Amino acid sequence: MDLDTRKQVAAVVDAIRERWGEGALHPGSQLNPPPPLPTGIPPLDEALGGLPRGGLTEMIGIPSAGATTLALKIIAEVQRHGQVAYLDLPQTFDADFAARCGVALEPLLLVRPHSLRQAAAILRDLLGLGGLDLVVFDAYGEPPRALQAALGRSGPLLATLTRSRSALIVLVSQPLRQQAPARSVLAFPHTAARLVVRKEAWLYRGPDIGGYRALILITKDRQGPAGKQIAVTIRLDDAVTIEAP
Amino acid sequence: MIACLSIPYFVAAVERRGDEALMDKPLVVGGQPWEARPLFAFSSEAARAGVRPGMSLRLAYSLFPDSRFLPAAQERYRQSTGEIAHTLADFAGRIEAQDLWLQLPTRTAETAISRTLPAYYYLDLEELPAREALSLAADAGRAVRRESRLAPSIGIARRRFTAEVAAALARPNHARPIVPGEEAQFLAARPITFLPLPAETLRRLAALGIGTLGRLAAMPLPELRLRFGPEVEAAYYMASGRSRVEDAVPAPPRERVVRAAGRFETPLTSTLALDAALVRLAGSLAARLAEAQAEALQLQVRWEAEEGERGQRAVALRRPTADSRRLAGALRELVMPLTFPGGVSYLAATAEFQERQVRQPSLFDAGPAAEAGLDLDRLIARHGAGLFFRPAPAEPGHVLPERRFLLVER
């Protein structure tokens, strides 16, 4: 860029700042995206680089696949240094199981909205208030299209999420009759990461079930290549643990 | 918004789907022409020739001898309607199916809609804006077409009856949205046969020259009720595209104010004296609010200056309160910017109030709430109590030993 062009650009920048304020323009070098949230599950952190703040992470699975357990373990990790809210739309939050997953219940904000529309409104407000590091939106059992419409029509919601430093996890049930697990259920263009959780096999301890093996497929990742698979073992002892097999 | 998917002549459509050879042929379903029983269903071509629900097979044959007569397979029709409902379950939480093809209309229940023996599905799209409701309903229609190979027509409106009529008038594979507020205009020219009224009532209305929904909606409701009985009331609201709730007269609001006033023999000239008077007024208001178990929403203050000048100012409180300190602060904001050269001789404060809302304590009581910048009170005030919980340890004597935690409302 020659000197004249530089001067012209500087003049244009000054004119824009004068008219629209200092905050109207930012050099790219000043953009510092907040560091992603570690999930506390080493293979997942390695593959995903952590949960993106200001981004939406879809977590998809049929009921009992392990998506909720995974979310609870992530909550437990985030609570070590931050604040978490849990929107429990199906009203199935199990405090005992959450405690076994390591979730600190006292500081957890649990919200039980009555309808999807109300949930979307509260979600927008929670993200707008700031101060939360992670918001988990349990939307299990909601019709995918209705969910998509409720969240999608909240233009301010997505704008608020992008501005906030919170990470958002949306738990979505995968219809049982849907054959292709990698297909997006929510199909949000704003999704930063999409994890499909599948149960592979039960693990027995004698006649009792002691846990199960699950597979996490990363079908979308804005920060890296998609298509990675992570096998984990979820042990359902007194304390629920997730470990690499 | 409510989306209504209609598949007219549903049985004939299912029969044609299963056999391509029947595609262009007029159909009468229910048996053969020589059997002495009523028909079960028919196609649109037979309807145009005069075939009607409940007619005998023999009469149908005499009206339209070119029809193809088929036995009825009710189980298959039920299965088809179940599949469609299953497909639609992806699009709305609440769905209602109405199998009008199965209910042989009687003389008292026959309407312009039921005459076509359709399958109707209602999707509750809650308060989705009209444009997005149209998009979602169109998606639902496409999904039904793809999965069931049937051609639904779709009506979208704020009220169920309006959506029904819109669906009945829409072409197959098309949607007809009715913009909120234009329901009456849309319905005005439609015949009253869309209404689920007894045949005799319809005949009497027609004899009075009331042949359209618009004419019925223009009639005074008390007169209609008097002449046709209470059953016509629902039909009246359907025809006008409104609901009873919209017409309900709100109860006159009772006065919800508390007052406190003070007249001063010596005019208040100093800021300190004025401030003390405002604090006393706030204290009186707070005491009266506490007595009424209420919180102030709005404050008004009136004054008289020594020179005889009078004035008043009001403010809406950001958050309802009965706290005297907050009330005093609001009064100060109203009065202190003013100047009274000769002093103030009279001050009166009025607070409009509401009953005290049950409010839960703040989020993370111990302090992290402040650190996190969360204002749970604001959330509760906006979305209502009973939504925000804190899991807490259960009491030792809980009946279920494995339940170690309970959810406590915040």
Side-chain angles (χ1 to χ4, degrees), chain B residues 17-80:
Chain B
R17 185 183 63 174
D19 187 352
E20 295 283 328
L22 301 175
M23 199 51 77
D24 301 322
K25 292 193 168 52
L27 297 181
V28 174
V29 181
Q32 297 304 320
W34 56 82
E35 293 179 51
R37 66 165 97 150
L39 56 78
F40 185 74
F42 47 86
S43 66
S44 58
E45 298 84 357
R48 278 197 289 275
V51 177
R52 291 283 174 268
M55 193 175 268
S56 73
L57 288 162
R58 196 170 298 175
L59 183 55
Y61 179 75
S62 66
L63 281 170
F64 202 6
D66 292 341
S67 300
R68 177 84 178 267
F69 284 77
L70 299 170
Q74 289 195 36
E75 198 50 48
R76 190 146 48 89
Y77 310 142
R78 280 205 187 86
Q79 196 180 340
S80 297

Side-chain angles (χ1 to χ4, degrees), chain A residues 2 4 11 13-15 18 20 42-43 52 61 76 79 94 143-144 157-158 170 183 197-198 207 217 220 222 239:
Chain A
D2 59 29
D4 286 347
V13 167
D14 287 345
E18 193 179 335
W20 303 105
Q79 278 186 324
D94 186 336
L157 187 150
L158 296 165
V170 181
R183 189 178 134 200
V197 185
R198 275 207 319 235
L217 293 113
K220 180 175 179 181
R222 243 182 221 172

Side-chain angles (χ1 to χ4, degrees), chain A:
Chain A
M1 199 186 290
D2 59 29
L3 197 60
D4 286 347
T5 317
R6 276 173 195 266
K7 280 181 180 172
Q8 282 174 7
V9 170
V12 170
V13 167
D14 287 345
I16 291 175
R17 284 194 167 146
E18 193 179 335
R19 181 164 182 194
W20 303 105
E22 281 298 311
L25 289 173
H26 295 284
S29 57
Q30 284 183 9
L31 293 175
N32 292 319
L37 277 177
T39 64
I41 301 160
L44 188 60
D45 279 336
E46 202 175 301
L48 202 61
L51 295 180
R53 287 177 187 263
L56 188 155
T57 303
E58 282 178 56
M59 219 173 262
I60 303 166
I62 60 168
S64 91
T68 308
T69 309
L70 188 61
L72 290 171
K73 291 301 286 184
I74 293 172
I75 290 174
E77 174 65 22
V78 174
Q79 278 186 324
R80 290 168 60 182
H81 48 77
Q83 301 292 339
V84 183
Y86 192 100
L87 268 86
D88 181 25
L89 186 56
Q91 316 241 331
T92 53
F93 181 84
D94 186 336
D96 291 278
F97 186 72
R100 284 170 58 201
C101 288
V103 174
L105 293 171
E106 279 291 317
L108 180 71
L109 171 62
L110 181 69
V111 190
R112 290 192 149 174
H114 298 311
S115 69
L116 186 52
R117 189 171 149 268
Q118 191 180 39
I122 294 175
L123 178 60
R124 191 177 60 230
D125 284 355
L126 280 173
L127 293 171
L129 285 174
L132 288 168
D133 294 272
L134 174 67
V135 180
V136 177
F137 179 24
D138 186 348
Y140 252 62
E142 285 302 312
R145 293 301 186 93
L147 180 62
Q148 196 180 348
L151 295 183
R153 72 168 177 260
S154 301
L157 187 150
L158 296 165
T160 313
L161 173 64
T162 315
R163 278 199 303 272
S164 76
R165 55 189 296 284
S166 312
L168 171 64
I169 294 178
V170 181
L171 292 171
V172 191
S173 53
Q174 181 180 342
L176 287 168
R177 63 198 166 94
Q178 189 170 305
Q179 293 304 308
R183 189 178 134 200
S184 165
V185 179
L186 204 51
F188 254 157
H190 310 81
T191 300
R194 184 176 297 126
L195 312 179
V196 179
V197 185
R198 275 207 319 235
K199 183 185 288 171
E200 294 286 287
W202 289 109
L203 299 175
Y204 288 89
R205 193 184 301 114
D208 302 323
I209 289 173
Y212 55 95
R213 272 204 305 274
L215 195 66
I216 305 168
L217 293 113
I218 301 174
T219 61
K220 180 175 179 181
D221 182 7
R222 243 182 221 172
Q223 305 299 323
K228 293 173 191 165
Q229 296 190 5
I230 303 152
V232 290
T233 302
I234 299 174
R235 298 202 182 278
L236 304 171
D237 300 321
D238 283 344
V240 178
T241 53
I242 296 185
E243 55 200 46

Side-chain angles (χ1 to χ4, degrees), chain B residues 131-402:
Chain B
R131 190 186 294 177
E132 285 157 34
L134 173 62
S135 163
L136 188 62
D139 280 354
R142 275 192 284 274
V144 168
R145 195 163 69 235
R146 192 176 55 245
E147 303 276 335
S148 69
R149 291 185 289 127
L150 295 171
S153 46
I154 305 167
I156 303 149
R158 213 165 39 165
R159 305 258 167 261
R160 180 181 165 130
F161 175 72
T162 317
E164 272 178 21
V165 176
L169 296 174
R171 285 184 292 152
N173 291 331
H174 283 72
R176 185 152 189 176
I178 308 301
V179 179
E182 293 181 6
E183 291 91 346
Q185 192 186 342
F186 164 72
L187 292 170
R190 314 296 164 202
I192 53 169
T193 47
F194 275 109
L195 293 170
L197 283 173
E200 176 58 18
T201 309
L202 287 175
R203 190 191 63 75
R204 285 171 60 199
L205 285 169
L208 289 168
I210 303 171
T212 61
L213 299 176
R215 288 211 163 190
L216 181 66
M219 297 295 291
L221 181 59
E223 291 293 318
L224 282 173
R225 209 185 282 130
L226 196 67
R227 193 179 277 259
F228 296 98
E231 67 188 6
V232 84
E233 191 173 340
Y236 169 82
Y237 281 108
M238 284 178 185
S240 54
R242 301 202 307 270
S243 74
R244 282 191 183 87
V245 179
E246 286 169 30
D247 272 13
V249 182
R254 63 190 177 93
E255 195 185 27
R256 288 167 170 247
V257 290
V258 289
R259 294 184 181 86
R263 188 169 287 282
F264 314 106
E265 287 179 12
T266 314
L268 306 175
T269 48
S270 75
T271 313
L272 276 176
L274 191 58
D275 187 65
L278 292 175
V279 169
R280 278 200 300 278
L281 281 183
S284 305
L285 284 180
R288 280 163 204 171
L289 286 167
E291 202 176 310
Q293 296 198 334
E295 293 169 318
L297 292 169
Q298 196 169 350
L299 274 184
Q300 188 194 52
V301 64
R302 286 183 291 123
W303 65 86
E304 280 178 30
E306 182 60 15
E307 298 87 358
E309 187 194 342
R310 293 179 180 187
Q312 64 175 40
R313 293 185 79 190
V315 65
L317 298 171
R318 279 191 294 275
R319 198 187 300 170
T321 185
D323 180 37
S324 62
R325 278 175 304 177
R326 286 195 59 211
L327 292 171
L331 290 175
R332 276 193 200 105
E333 278 181 32
L334 287 172
V335 176
M336 285 307 189
L338 304 168
T339 50
F340 306 99
V344 180
S345 56
Y346 176 74
L347 273 175
T350 310
E352 274 184 38
F353 68 77
Q354 65 174 15
E355 266 90 18
R356 188 179 299 150
Q357 308 289 313
V358 178
R359 194 163 301 139
Q360 306 300 322
S362 187
L363 169 55
F364 313 118
D365 298 320
E371 278 175 32
L374 275 172
D375 187 352
L376 192 62
D377 278 359
R378 201 172 116 198
L379 279 175
I380 290 173
R382 181 158 179 189
H383 298 285
L387 299 172
F388 299 86
F389 296 89
R390 178 170 55 89
E395 67 269 35
H398 196 275
V399 286
L400 294 172
E402 72 273 22

